[in-house]
Amino acid sequence: MYIICSDLEGVFVPEVWINVADKTGIEELRLTTRDVSDYDVLMKGRIKILEEQGLTLKDIQNVIAQIRPLDGALEFIAWMKERTQLIVVSDTFIQFADPLMKQLGRPTLFCHSLEIDERNMIVGYTLRQKDPKRRTVEALQSLKYQVIAMGDSYNDISMLQQAEVGILFRPPDNVVKDYPDLPVAYDYDALKEILSKYL
Amino acid sequence: MYIICSDLEGVFVPEVWINVADKTGIEELRLTTRDVSDYDVLMKGRIKILEEQGLTLKDIQNVIAQIRPLDGALEFIAWMKERTQLIVVSDTFIQFADPLMKQLGRPTLFCHSLEIDERNMIVGYTLRQKDPKRRTVEALQSLKYQVIAMGDSYNDISMLQQAEVGILFRPPDNVVKDYPDLPVAYDYDALKEILSKYL
């Protein structure tokens, strides 16, 4: 039996931090791991900016609630869920993902979490485990599932490689160049065509 | 982070085979593991009856589609999904569960599968693995989740015992007597009260 593990941002919804930067007008929130390679330095910088601007978790959630899923994402999720089980695996935080998951009909999500204080300010974050995407595929394989994994970027590669079937979705060109063996899809119809071979 | 693993029949929907027996009028389909202790003998007997009666998978699915979720199940599932992730773990078969899962908004389901031939007749079944409910809890624990498990009967016990929190929901009296240490809830409000301690 096949099961699907999919990344969230870039597959079903746009990149969250870039949109938060756009909607709040805070340019520094645009920085990603491409600009600041140490994730902890990046996240602590983001938390410091939110604190300086006096933005609570609720403020950020209200901004994120304005982000819309990618065109066709809802239909594509419904299509998959009629055929198999879907687990969304993301390096985002549950509190940020929630306004988006609500719009997606709340498929199961495995991700990280933020630490919130009594002022509703973000004061830290907890990563659930190292290499959580690959570990999720392994956990599902321990349940005798065969896994089809989909993602768009470098943090998805270990998941795509651990899965029985790994598919890149709308990846940047450098990812395609670095991993030429992985099949690539640029729209949901192309994904459906690949998935239909297995489901 | 807590995650919920729940049984399906008896928790969100009524017992499927008993309802199929009622709606088809085929009394022999009422037999359960309480009557025939060897599951393989029981399932092969059921498959033989369906073959004799000329009932296809589609016929049975049409019957199952008439079964309604338990009163309040949809609201309870929505309540859980707003607070955490839900995985439904069942010893049913995906083809039987599907008309019910559709009504429940298709939460993620881990279960078994039927073998169907070109006539759409059920000719066999595949159990995904042994002790699948306990294995699901272990897999989620390998992802650093703490698990709250809910179920109503003997086949749920290893899952409830492996979980950080195990709750019996509307169990028969003999299950309560055999496992006096497990907390028991008889309605969704009582379940919510227990879950609220962790979520």
Side-chain angles (χ1 to χ4, degrees):
Chain A
M1 273 200 277
Y2 280 97
I3 194 167
I4 298 175
C5 275
S6 178
D7 185 25
L8 176 64
E9 294 173 54
V11 180
F12 302 128
V13 301
E15 296 294 329
V16 167
W17 283 107
I18 290 172
N19 269 271
V20 170
D22 280 347
K23 289 181 198 293
T24 58
I26 304 171
E27 272 303 302
E28 303 100 298
L29 291 180
R30 253 178 197 290
L31 297 178
T32 70
T33 45
R34 290 183 202 177
D35 311 293
V36 183
S37 62
D38 184 326
Y39 185 74
D40 190 56
V41 171
L42 179 67
M43 268 306 295
K44 284 187 174 148
R46 288 166 170 170
I47 290 170
K48 188 158 168 276
I49 293 165
L50 298 180
E51 175 76 42
E52 285 167 0
Q53 302 278 338
L55 291 170
T56 64
L57 170 63
K58 188 71 201 155
D59 293 329
I60 301 298
Q61 285 178 323
N62 288 341
V63 170
I64 293 172
Q66 298 168 36
I67 303 175
R68 292 289 161 258
L70 298 178
D71 274 350
L74 283 168
E75 294 76 6
F76 178 54
I77 288 174
W79 184 91
M80 285 188 285
K81 288 176 79 178
E82 281 170 19
R83 285 159 180 78
T84 186
Q85 308 304 311
L86 168 67
I87 307 268
V88 182
V89 190
S90 172
D91 278 331
T92 189
F93 303 97
I94 188 71
Q95 295 92 338
F96 285 170
D98 193 66
L100 295 166
M101 298 310 285
K102 189 179 171 187
Q103 297 181 64
L104 296 175
R106 299 194 186 280
T108 300
L109 171 68
F110 294 170
C111 66
H112 305 297
S113 64
L114 294 168
E115 295 158 24
I116 312 299
D117 73 6
E118 68 292 344
R119 301 168 302 156
N120 198 239
M121 298 297 291
I122 300 163
V123 291
Y125 66 96
T126 307
L127 300 182
R128 209 180 62 250
Q129 65 184 165
K130 280 194 184 172
D131 204 358
K133 299 194 183 204
R134 180 179 59 78
R135 295 298 299 267
T136 298
V137 174
E138 288 174 343
L140 293 168
Q141 288 169 334
S142 82
L143 302 178
K144 307 302 174 195
Y145 282 104
Q146 293 179 284
V147 180
I148 305 173
M150 314 186 297
D152 70 334
S153 196
Y154 288 109
N155 68 336
D156 298 305
I157 295 297
S158 70
M159 168 172 82
L160 302 194
Q161 291 182 330
Q162 178 65 33
E164 275 75 13
V165 182
I167 310 165
L168 285 168
F169 183 64
R170 294 188 192 168
D173 290 344
N174 48 344
V175 176
V176 178
K177 196 179 287 176
D178 289 349
Y179 299 95
D181 292 343
L182 290 171
V184 184
Y186 288 97
D187 57 46
Y188 295 133
D189 282 341
L191 271 184
K192 283 185 192 177
E193 205 175 308
I194 300 173
L195 293 175
S196 293
K197 291 182 207 164
Y198 306 97
L199 303 181
Chain B
M1 271 201 278
Y2 281 97
I3 192 167
I4 297 174
C5 275
S6 178
D7 185 25
L8 176 64
E9 294 173 55
V11 180
F12 302 129
V13 302
E15 296 295 329
V16 168
W17 283 107
I18 289 173
N19 269 271
V20 170
D22 281 346
K23 290 182 198 292
T24 58
I26 304 170
E27 272 304 302
E28 304 98 298
L29 291 180
R30 253 178 197 290
L31 297 177
T32 71
T33 45
R34 291 183 203 178
D35 311 294
V36 182
S37 62
D38 184 326
Y39 185 74
D40 190 56
V41 171
L42 179 67
M43 269 306 294
K44 284 187 174 149
R46 288 166 169 170
I47 290 170
K48 189 159 166 274
I49 293 165
L50 298 179
E51 176 76 44
E52 285 167 359
Q53 302 279 339
L55 291 170
T56 63
L57 170 64
K58 189 71 201 153
D59 294 328
I60 301 297
Q61 285 178 323
N62 288 341
V63 170
I64 294 173
Q66 298 168 36
I67 303 174
R68 293 289 160 259
L70 299 179
D71 274 350
L74 284 167
E75 295 75 8
F76 178 54
I77 288 174
W79 184 91
M80 285 188 286
K81 289 176 78 178
E82 281 170 20
R83 285 159 179 79
T84 185
Q85 308 304 310
L86 168 67
I87 308 268
V88 181
V89 191
S90 173
D91 279 331
T92 190
F93 303 96
I94 187 71
Q95 295 91 339
F96 285 170
D98 193 65
L100 295 165
M101 298 310 285
K102 189 180 171 188
Q103 296 180 64
L104 297 175
R106 298 194 188 280
T108 299
L109 171 68
F110 293 171
C111 66
H112 305 297
S113 64
L114 295 168
E115 295 158 24
I116 311 299
D117 73 6
E118 67 292 344
R119 302 168 301 156
N120 197 239
M121 297 298 290
I122 301 163
V123 291
Y125 66 95
T126 306
L127 300 183
R128 208 180 64 248
Q129 67 185 163
K130 280 194 185 175
D131 204 359
K133 299 195 184 204
R134 178 178 61 77
R135 296 298 299 266
T136 299
V137 174
E138 289 174 342
L140 293 168
Q141 288 168 335
S142 82
L143 301 178
K144 307 301 174 196
Y145 281 104
Q146 293 177 285
V147 180
I148 303 174
M150 314 187 296
D152 71 334
S153 196
Y154 288 108
N155 68 335
D156 298 304
I157 296 296
S158 70
M159 168 172 82
L160 303 195
Q161 291 182 330
Q162 178 66 33
E164 276 74 13
V165 182
I167 309 167
L168 285 169
F169 183 66
R170 295 188 190 168
D173 290 343
N174 49 343
V175 176
V176 178
K177 196 179 287 177
D178 289 350
Y179 299 95
D181 292 343
L182 291 170
V184 184
Y186 288 96
D187 57 44
Y188 295 133
D189 282 341
L191 271 183
K192 283 185 192 176
E193 205 175 308
I194 300 173
L195 293 174
S196 293
K197 293 183 207 164
Y198 307 98
L199 304 180

